[in-house]
Amino acid sequence: MAWRLTPLLLLLLAWTASMCSARNRVDLLNVCMDAKHHKTKPGPEDKLHDQCIPWRKNACCSHNTSQELHKDPSLLYNFNLDHCGKIEPACQRHFIQDNCLYECSPNLGPWIQEVNQSWRKERFLDVPLCKEDCQQWWEDCRTSYTCKSNWHKGWDWSSGSNKCPAGATCRTFETYFPTPAALCEGIWSHSYKLSNYNRGSGRCIQMWFDPAQGNPNEEVARFYALAMSAGAMPHGIGLLLLSLVPMLHLWLLS
């Protein structure tokens, strides 16, 4: 009797493991990163400021965070966008929107990775940014000036705020970022990846959206979370289930 129950028991354990894996992926659909200014859990924030307003129904940022990140330099990280002179207002708006997405979005779970940094324990990596959002970011910033192609590291922080390191030359964004992909993928160490998909496709994250139309990034996160879950199963649980089929067949014959 024990032998007869074994195949069913193994199949049950394998199915349970697969369901737990899928559930863990689904849990990524509404989460906040473990980082410096993020809330523990997302929730309503009716008073989010200006460009962060699209996330007010469900946000990982507070009102104070959303207000502070609109300043330059912001006390959140003491980061100065004007390290090579005043950047164009249109360019600045993209960086504010980038910050709003980073601080406020609960829809980046599929791309969250653990990191060992003093100011955060998690970051997102290779978020598929919609083609138009990346291209417009590059277009609006190409004539502004910077001195680095990777803004995550290598700054001179001796003054308490970021300054160009010794030997770095201020040149146009287009010099340091010759293509939209170079900007979106390189500036924050591959936090973003230029997507071939367009806004509204349900396959790329929108940095800009109209909250009156709902948050399109919820659908995108759901798609990639489920895709990751389905992709993981054939390499582990799927093979286990297949290996148990002959045993189940013998059990049924007996």
Side-chain angles (χ1 to χ4, degrees):
M1 184 62 149
W3 181 88
R4 291 185 177 186
L5 289 176
T6 299
L8 280 180
L9 179 60
L10 290 174
L11 282 171
L12 179 60
L13 290 173
W15 177 83
T16 301
S18 68
M19 290 301 99
C20 289
S21 175
R23 187 184 65 185
N24 289 339
R25 293 297 182 184
V26 172
D27 285 345
L28 298 178
L29 297 179
N30 190 42
V31 294
C32 299
M33 284 187 292
D34 187 353
K36 188 173 183 179
H37 300 291
H38 287 71
K39 293 161 48 178
T40 304
K41 295 181 179 179
E45 291 286 345
D46 293 338
K47 296 182 180 180
L48 290 188
H49 185 64
D50 199 7
Q51 288 179 234
C52 296
I53 287 176
W55 288 274
R56 63 184 176 184
K57 289 185 178 180
N58 194 34
C60 288
C61 62
S62 66
H63 163 69
N64 289 340
T65 296
S66 71
Q67 192 169 41
E68 187 62 37
L69 65 80
H70 282 75
K71 300 176 182 178
D72 186 30
S74 167
L75 294 178
L76 294 179
Y77 303 102
N78 291 323
F79 193 90
N80 184 12
L81 292 174
D82 298 331
H83 50 268
C84 278
K86 191 70 176 175
I87 67 170
E88 296 293 333
C91 178
Q92 183 181 28
R93 283 182 58 81
H94 287 278
F95 282 101
I96 292 174
Q97 200 70 9
D98 163 47
N99 283 332
C100 286
L101 180 68
Y102 174 81
E103 299 287 351
C104 302
S105 178
N107 309 123
L108 301 173
W111 303 278
I112 290 177
Q113 303 284 329
E114 291 185 1
V115 291
N116 183 21
Q117 296 176 327
S118 61
W119 54 285
R120 62 180 180 181
K121 294 182 179 179
E122 291 179 331
R123 63 166 293 189
F124 57 74
L125 184 69
D126 290 332
V127 170
L129 188 63
C130 291
K131 184 188 299 184
E132 300 96 325
D133 286 19
C134 181
Q135 289 177 336
Q136 195 61 52
W137 190 358
W138 181 78
E139 190 64 41
D140 288 342
C141 289
R142 60 191 299 184
T143 58
S144 291
Y145 283 77
T146 185
C147 58
K148 285 173 50 56
S149 59
N150 186 330
W151 286 15
H152 255 158
K153 56 187 178 181
W155 295 101
D156 176 0
W157 289 96
S158 59
S159 65
S161 183
N162 62 303
K163 291 186 177 181
C164 294
T169 305
C170 288
R171 302 184 188 278
T172 63
F173 266 65
E174 192 170 12
T175 302
Y176 283 99
F177 308 106
T179 64
L183 172 62
C184 299
E185 297 178 4
I187 196 164
W188 298 127
S189 300
H190 299 282
S191 290
Y192 299 111
K193 183 176 180 62
L194 174 60
S195 175
N196 290 323
Y197 288 103
N198 295 315
R199 296 165 59 84
S201 65
R203 300 294 182 268
C204 62
I205 292 293
Q206 294 183 202
M207 191 178 290
W208 304 81
F209 61 89
D210 180 1
Q213 304 298 319
N215 184 346
N217 295 333
E218 293 177 356
E219 177 187 352
V220 179
R222 185 161 50 247
F223 171 81
Y224 283 99
L226 293 175
M228 288 176 183
S229 180
M233 187 173 175
H235 299 291
I237 302 303
L239 290 176
L240 177 58
L241 290 173
L242 287 174
S243 70
L244 293 175
V245 170
M247 295 178 65
L248 180 60
H249 180 65
L250 290 174
W251 177 78
L252 290 173
L253 288 177
S254 65

